[in-house]
């Protein structure tokens, strides 16, 4: 988040000093900040999940991000929020595969924070999914 904040501040200073219109209109800046925060939160949560679960499982859980994206898009009614029967079938396959992978972890490899790790990895999915939804909202605002 710091790097995105510094970049936004630098862009504002350059824009102000040069007297030119910024690349992003000011009305989009709050969304750009929210996009940066959700992107950063996704990586923070993913890295925290790696403290508790194997990287292979964390990445398998991350493969369920399209499910989170579809749920958010449908719930908020944003562009792309309607899913075809094929897309729904693909999401069902993702959920079944991810669930089977998580359940196939041997009990001996499940650390004390195993379920916390799964929760953190799913939190990363939500953060990354919100990034996509916010980006769509910003594009719609600029259109």
């Amino acid at each position: 988040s710091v790097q995105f904040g510094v970049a936004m501040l630098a862009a504002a200073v350059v824009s102000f000093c040069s007297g030119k219109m910024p690349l992003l209109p000011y009305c989009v800046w709050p969304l750009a900040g929210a996009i940066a925060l959700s992107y950063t939160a996704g990586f923070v949560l993913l890295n925290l999940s790696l403290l508790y679960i194997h990287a292979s499982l964390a990445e398998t859980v991350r493969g369920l991000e399209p499910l989170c994206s579809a749920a958010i898009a449908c719930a908020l009614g944003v562009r792309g929020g309607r899913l075809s029967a094929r897309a729904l079938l693909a999401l069902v396959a993702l959920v079944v595969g991810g669930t089977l992978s998580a359940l196939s972890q041997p009990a001996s490899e499940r650390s004390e924070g195993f379920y916390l790790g799964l929760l953190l990895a799913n939190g990363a999915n939500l953060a990354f999914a919100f990034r996509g939804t916010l980006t769509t909202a910003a594009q719609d605002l600029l259109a």
Side-chain angles (χ1 to χ4, degrees):
S1 288
V2 173
Q3 70 186 27
F4 293 114
V6 169
M8 285 177 57
L9 183 61
V13 169
V14 169
S15 175
F16 179 77
C17 291
S18 67
K20 295 183 179 179
M21 180 70 170
L23 294 176
L24 284 177
Y26 295 115
C27 64
V28 182
W29 283 30
L31 275 175
I35 291 167
L37 285 174
S38 66
Y39 192 62
T40 302
F43 281 112
V44 168
L45 291 169
L46 178 61
N47 286 331
L48 285 173
S49 75
L50 294 174
L51 291 172
Y52 302 103
I53 58 177
H54 290 283
S56 60
L57 180 58
E59 290 302 325
T60 300
V61 172
R62 283 274 303 118
L64 298 174
E65 182 184 337
L67 178 66
C68 294
S69 297
I72 291 170
C74 288
L76 298 179
V78 297
R79 180 170 41 100
R82 292 188 177 198
L83 300 175
S84 67
R86 281 180 156 177
L88 285 173
L89 187 60
L91 288 176
V92 168
L94 273 173
V95 170
V96 169
T99 302
L100 288 174
S101 177
L103 293 176
S104 70
Q105 294 294 310
S108 61
E109 292 184 13
R110 293 183 189 173
S111 65
E112 187 174 307
F114 178 78
Y115 294 104
L116 176 60
L118 289 178
L119 185 65
L120 289 167
N122 280 302
N125 283 347
L126 283 173
F128 285 125
F130 269 110
R131 177 205 54 190
T133 303
L134 291 169
T135 300
T136 300
Q139 290 169 343
D140 290 347
L141 189 60
L142 291 172

